[in-house]
Amino acid sequence: MAGRDDGRRQRTSGAGGQAEWAEELLEHLRPAGRDLHRVVAWLAGTAHAAVSLQDAAGHLLAGTPTPLDEGLVANITSGRIASAALEDRGRHLRLVRVERSHPAPAAVLAVMRESPFDRRVSDIVTHAAQVVELLLAGHESTAAGHRLRRATSDLRLAILQLLMVEDTVSARRVAAGLWPGLLDTDTACVYVVESSPAERDRLAEECLSATGEGALVVRCPAMDGHVIVLAPRDTAGQELRSLVGGRSGVFVGGSARQALARTAAAYGQAVSALAVARFRPEKAALYAERTRPERLMDPAALHDWTAHVLSPLDTLSHHTRAELLATTRLGLEFTAVNTAKVLGVSRNTVRARMDRVEGLLRTDFADLTVRAAVHLALNAQIGLAEPPAGAGPRPGAARLTDLLSTTALRAWAVELLGRLDPGGRDLRRTLRTWIAAGGNAERAAQQLGMHAQTVREHVRSAEPVLERELLAAGGDLYEVVLAHLVAGDLDQPLLHGTNPCHPDSPVHE
């Protein structure tokens, strides 16, 4: 056995030979060549030996498996000896200790060959061990950095999920440790930046850089190409717009400024604006930039109608009510699977919560007009957090038909749906029938006497004309449904499961 100093002798059989193998070994330290397995393979080829790198527990890290004496390995990894050389049944073995980053125990580099180790091969093994040590340290440092980034990313997602269910107190408490002051605000905007899934990680880092880490940047758990940015500062919108400008396939949609407790609604607004951004040359849009039907309704009447529609949930505790409303708000915008990913719960939990809301409201979410009406109520609840002038108890229950009868709203609906009239395919008829069929192309096709794929193509063709996504059910589709209700092209929805002809119905739609 030999100590490390004895193994580090620099004598070689010739300067030319040393220069050759030393140059090859140094190549493995260049940024493009830093690969632990390649170094071990190079050592095996250069030394004409079988080489293995294993940890203290005997797990192979690189090379080919080599049976080693456990006691000898323990002496080397524990630091009792730095290296060992022995001959066993005609095989010559050299073991060298390789340090690793704390707290990982040292590893052992084992080189076994049929010929004895001359000074040249001994030097090659010693220097290769030093290179392996450097590469291990770099790899473990990189791995530790990756774990830290992953943990930080998971923490950002956890904060967003807390905000999604209106638990701002817990969200602030979690954020305070790593990002002091980030959520010391009452309001924020939410942006969704879209790219290809392959570019998403780089885009997330660029969003962090662009906002100076003054925003909560989260890789969307539901959509592989989306990055969610919750930004308290007003300048974040311009920073993100500058980021997407001139880049192919990158878009950004932003919400109106909302209270932190309304993060779920702000996220829905940002996704809706993102759909508009895809049709715009600047590839960016804000939710407030488009006329929304609720803005054209009487605020006091809208407030009273919303309060009445959602009143069955008023008996619930604040936390349960907020949880159900946040889940339903997202569940009306996205699939149960994607909603579950955003909230960090199971899809069965999402369905159970929405079923409970459906039961409390005594209605049927399979009906697109019902979904549009409830979606309107949930949005109005956010937009009209404070009762407007004139709101309050009044004779008779508020009715959706009254809300939809304003002159401004009718003009909006006529203009929007009128875009579908030019052309010979009658997209408007197909769209109306498809909505009445609950968004089911097969049922709509039966009524229209055409193929289901033709129905889908008509609906898809209507999307750029209306500047709204329709096949992906969400806020865009519900606006188009409301436009049909305003125009009288669809039957009014039933809420609370009432009969509209019954004089005692609490809600007469």
Side-chain angles (χ1 to χ4, degrees):
M1 296 186 182
R4 193 168 183 100
D5 290 339
D6 191 41
R8 288 185 174 179
R9 289 172 297 181
Q10 302 298 313
R11 292 188 296 272
T12 66
S13 58
Q18 179 180 8
E20 182 179 344
W21 66 255
E23 184 177 347
E24 291 177 2
L25 187 57
L26 286 174
E27 286 293 323
H28 291 285
L29 287 176
R30 299 185 186 278
R34 293 173 185 171
D35 187 311
L36 189 65
H37 296 276
R38 288 176 57 188
V39 172
V40 171
W42 172 87
L43 176 58
T46 305
H48 303 292
V51 180
S52 70
L53 177 68
Q54 66 180 48
D55 61 17
H59 298 139
L60 187 68
L61 302 178
T64 57
T66 303
L68 300 175
D69 181 86
E70 294 181 0
L72 183 57
V73 170
N75 284 333
I76 292 177
T77 57
S78 65
R80 293 189 183 95
I81 55 177
S83 63
L86 61 130
E87 180 181 357
D88 179 23
R89 288 174 292 183
R91 298 177 305 169
H92 300 270
L93 181 65
R94 175 68 60 89
L95 304 178
V96 181
R97 174 185 170 89
V98 176
E99 296 288 351
R100 299 174 67 187
S101 300
H102 182 78
V108 173
L109 180 68
V111 183
M112 183 184 303
R113 49 185 267 142
E114 295 181 357
S115 303
F117 285 81
D118 56 25
R119 292 176 180 176
R120 173 180 177 275
V121 175
S122 296
D123 281 345
I124 291 174
V125 171
T126 300
H127 285 82
Q130 294 170 357
V131 170
V132 167
E133 195 169 276
L134 289 173
L135 292 180
L136 266 181
H139 173 75
E140 289 166 355
S141 176
T142 300
H146 176 73
R147 290 193 296 270
L148 178 60
R149 288 191 296 273
R150 178 61 183 270
T152 304
S153 178
D154 290 346
L155 189 58
R156 289 192 181 100
L157 174 59
I159 294 169
L160 179 68
Q161 289 169 340
L162 288 169
L163 292 174
M164 287 285 192
V165 294
E166 302 184 19
D167 193 351
T168 57
V169 174
S170 297
R172 286 189 173 109
R173 186 180 299 122
V174 174
L178 287 179
W179 303 285
L182 177 63
L183 297 183
D184 290 349
T185 177
D186 294 326
T187 62
C189 292
V190 172
Y191 299 90
V192 176
V193 188
E194 180 182 70
S195 69
S196 67
E199 295 291 321
R200 199 260 295 269
D201 285 348
R202 185 171 67 179
L203 181 64
E205 294 301 321
E206 291 177 354
C207 288
L208 279 170
S209 178
T211 58
E213 295 202 2
L216 187 69
V217 178
V218 177
R219 293 166 175 80
C220 179
M223 304 299 291
D224 290 340
H226 286 188
V227 176
I228 303 170
V229 181
L230 184 140
R233 295 186 292 108
D234 291 330
T235 57
Q238 185 56 46
E239 291 162 351
L240 294 175
R241 283 172 181 253
S242 300
L243 181 64
V244 305
R247 297 181 59 173
S248 176
V250 182
F251 308 91
V252 59
S255 74
R257 181 164 286 274
Q258 298 284 0
L260 283 182
R262 308 302 186 188
T263 297
Y267 172 61
Q269 290 180 355
V271 171
S272 180
L274 180 64
V276 177
R278 297 190 189 105
F279 300 114
R280 293 192 170 181
E282 64 271 27
K283 299 184 294 185
L286 292 178
Y287 182 82
E289 291 176 353
R290 195 166 84 192
T291 300
R292 304 288 169 174
E294 60 266 29
R295 295 175 179 269
L296 304 176
M297 300 175 186
D298 180 286
L302 179 58
H303 178 276
D304 294 345
W305 174 81
T306 296
H308 190 76
V309 168
L310 301 180
S311 60
L313 284 76
D314 292 344
T315 58
L316 304 174
S317 67
H318 171 76
H319 174 74
T320 301
R321 185 176 188 273
E323 191 174 66
L324 291 179
L325 289 177
T327 303
T328 303
R329 189 175 290 116
L330 289 175
L332 291 176
E333 292 278 357
F334 310 103
T335 65
V337 172
N338 285 348
T339 299
K341 290 178 180 178
V342 170
L343 293 177
V345 298
S346 72
R347 60 183 177 181
N348 289 336
T349 298
V350 171
R351 292 189 177 110
R353 290 175 183 175
M354 293 192 68
D355 287 346
R356 186 175 181 186
V357 173
E358 194 177 39
L360 288 169
L361 300 184
R362 300 196 300 279
T363 193
D364 182 7
F365 283 161
D367 187 331
L368 283 180
T369 62
V370 169
R371 293 173 72 92
V374 174
H375 185 265
L376 171 64
L378 293 174
N379 277 351
Q381 180 203 38
I382 295 167
L384 300 171
E386 296 296 328
R394 62 183 69 189
R399 301 191 308 170
L400 181 60
T401 50
D402 296 331
L403 293 177
L404 302 181
S405 61
T406 67
T407 302
L409 197 57
R410 181 166 291 277
W412 167 80
V414 168
E415 187 279 328
L416 180 63
L417 298 180
R419 302 179 196 176
L420 298 172
D421 292 337
R425 291 189 293 173
D426 202 354
L427 297 181
R428 184 166 178 174
R429 173 173 171 261
T430 304
L431 183 57
R432 178 177 66 248
T433 306
W434 178 75
I435 291 172
N440 187 291
E442 285 74 16
R443 289 204 303 267
Q446 290 177 359
Q447 297 179 40
L448 293 167
M450 61 176 63
H451 195 276
Q453 186 58 34
T454 304
V455 172
R456 295 187 188 96
E457 290 174 0
H458 281 200
V459 175
R460 191 175 291 110
S461 296
E463 290 184 328
V465 177
L466 299 176
E467 288 191 333
R468 286 159 174 82
E469 283 191 307
L470 303 176
L471 289 171
D476 283 1
L477 173 60
Y478 302 142
E479 284 192 7
V480 175
V481 173
L482 287 178
H484 282 85
L485 291 172
V486 172
D489 292 344
L490 293 172
D491 293 334
Q492 297 290 316
L494 291 175
L495 300 178
H496 292 202
T498 60
N499 184 339
C501 298
H502 196 287
D504 298 326
S505 296
V507 177
H508 182 189
E509 294 297 350

